[in-house]
Amino acid sequence: MIPRLDKDWGEQVAVVTGAGSTRGIGRETALHFGRLGASVVAIDRDPIVGEVAAQIRAEGSKAIAITLDVTKDVEIQRALDQVLNEFGHIDILVNNAGITRPNSILNISRSEWELVLATDLTSSFVFTQEVLPAMMKRKYGRIINLSSISGERGGVQNGCHYSAAKAGVMGLTKHVAREMGGYGITCNAVSPGLIETDFGGFTEGDAGERRALLMKEIPAGRSGSAEEVAATICFLASPAAGYITGEIVDVNGGWHID
Ligand SMILES: NC(=O)c1ccc[n+]([C@@H]2O[C@H](COP(=O)([O-])OP(=O)(O)OC[C@H]3O[C@@H](n4cnc5c(N)ncnc54)[C@H](O)[C@@H]3O)[C@@H](O)[C@H]2O)c1
C-alpha cells in the first residue's frame, strides 16, 4: 500500500537529540517541526533545551524537553518510555547530538576516541534500536541521522575519531534502511558541510585566514545555515519523502560532490 502523503503533522511525534544549542541544527529542527504542527520532544544534555520546548509551546504546538546524556543507555531508555507513555507513539527520530574534538591522530587518546564514537555514532544506534519496535508496530517511521562531510572525505578541522564516527553513521543509516524498509520505516542521513553554528568554534565573526581559504573551496561561496539543514531534515521526515531511504543527503554548497 502506498502511504498517505497528506498525513497531518499534528498527528506526528518528533524526537530530536542535541536540540539545546542556541544556534544549532537540532534547535532549528525542533522549532521547524513545531511550526509544522508536530509534537516535539527536544532532548539535550544542556537544560537550556527547556527553552526550546517552551518556545514551541508558545508558538502553538505540543513540546516537552528531556535533559539527558546520549552516551547513557539507561537515560535513553527511560526517556523514550516517558515519551511513549505521554504521546503513545514516535513517528520521527532525528539523531543530531554530536561533539567534535579537533586533534591530530598522533595525540588522540583512547578515552577521547571512545567519547567521540559514543556520542556521534553509538548514541544513534541506541536511540534507533529503542524506537524501532514502536515504529514497526505502526508500520511507519522516519529516522534521520546527522553525518558530516568529514565522514565522506576525511576531516577538515575535526579529528579522525569524528570522521570515523560520521562514516559509521552512514553505514548504520544504509543498513537500517534495508532492514526496516518493509515496515514503512525510512532511514536517511543528512551530511552538512560548513554550517554556522557553535560547533567547533567556527563563528560568523571569524574572518580569519582559515575561513577565507575554506570559502574559496565552496562553490556556493558561503557557509550554510542551521535553517537550511533543518529544512532538509524536515523534508526527509515528511510523509512526502516515503520513497527515499538509505540516502546520504549532502547540504554543503557543493563543497563535496560525489
Ligand atoms: N555545524 C557544522 O558545520 C556541522 C557540519 C557537519 C555535521 N554537523 C553535525 O550536525 C550535528 C549538530 O551540529 P551543530 O553544529 O548544531 O552542533 P552544536 O554544538 O551547536 O549542537 C550540538 C548539540 O548536541 C548536544 N550534545 C552533545 N553531546 C551530547 C550528549 N552526550 N548528550 C546530549 N546532548 C549532547 C550539545 O549540548 C548541543 O546542544 C552534529 O551531529 C554535528 O556533528 C555539524
Side-chain angles (χ1 to χ4, degrees):
M1 192 189 71
I2 296 174
R4 273 175 51 197
L5 296 185
D6 61 342
K7 199 170 159 68
D8 185 356
W9 281 99
E11 296 167 8
Q12 302 198 41
V13 178
V15 173
V16 183
T17 72
S21 173
T22 314
R23 306 192 309 148
I25 293 166
R27 178 184 288 238
E28 275 309 319
T29 302
L31 293 172
H32 207 107
F33 279 132
R35 286 168 194 150
L36 288 166
S39 300
V40 181
V41 179
I43 291 177
D44 207 288
R45 65 180 167 189
D46 187 335
I48 199 171
V49 74
E51 288 178 8
V52 180
Q55 185 175 340
I56 294 168
R57 288 194 297 272
E59 292 179 8
S61 287
K62 288 186 199 149
I64 60 167
I66 300 178
T67 304
L68 62 74
D69 181 339
V70 300
T71 67
K72 305 273 190 301
D73 296 7
V74 180
E75 294 183 22
I76 295 172
Q77 284 150 4
R78 203 181 299 138
L80 293 175
D81 283 350
Q82 181 193 334
V83 175
L84 287 173
N85 281 336
E86 209 152 319
F87 293 100
H89 54 99
I90 296 169
D91 305 278
I92 298 161
L93 168 66
V94 181
N95 285 310
N96 167 79
I99 56 166
T100 181
R101 293 284 184 275
N103 203 349
S104 161
I105 188 170
L106 301 174
N107 301 323
I108 290 173
S109 64
R110 175 95 187 198
S111 63
E112 187 177 285
W113 171 271
E114 282 169 0
L115 175 67
V116 174
L117 269 285
T119 310
D120 291 0
L121 175 59
T122 310
S123 71
S124 299
F125 155 69
V126 176
F127 266 95
T128 300
Q129 192 180 54
E130 286 297 323
V131 301
L132 278 174
M135 288 183 174
M136 289 165 77
K137 212 184 281 176
R138 283 166 47 86
K139 288 208 167 279
Y140 187 88
R142 296 278 184 270
I143 299 169
I144 297 98
N145 298 318
L146 268 292
S147 183
S148 166
I149 191 170
S150 300
E152 297 187 75
R153 61 169 215 185
V156 179
Q157 65 221 50
N158 302 299
C160 67
H161 35 22
Y162 182 76
S163 298
K166 293 301 188 179
V169 165
M170 291 190 271
L172 172 69
T173 301
K174 291 178 185 183
H175 184 98
V176 172
R178 280 188 190 278
E179 193 175 338
M180 291 295 143
Y183 292 95
I185 298 168
T186 67
C187 184
N188 292 289
V190 170
S191 182
L194 184 62
I195 309 300
E196 292 295 345
T197 70
D198 295 331
F199 196 78
F202 203 83
T203 62
E204 189 58 64
D206 185 347
E209 204 179 318
R210 190 174 62 124
R211 182 188 172 89
L213 283 174
L214 287 181
M215 288 307 157
K216 281 195 191 139
E217 290 178 25
I218 303 173
R222 65 172 179 89
S223 51
S225 68
E227 290 91 331
E228 287 171 311
V229 183
T232 307
I233 293 169
C234 289
F235 168 67
L236 291 171
S238 74
Y243 207 48
I244 302 173
T245 194
E247 274 301 311
I248 313 302
V249 181
D250 289 341
V251 184
N252 64 25
W255 198 12
H256 176 68
I257 299 174
D258 57 0

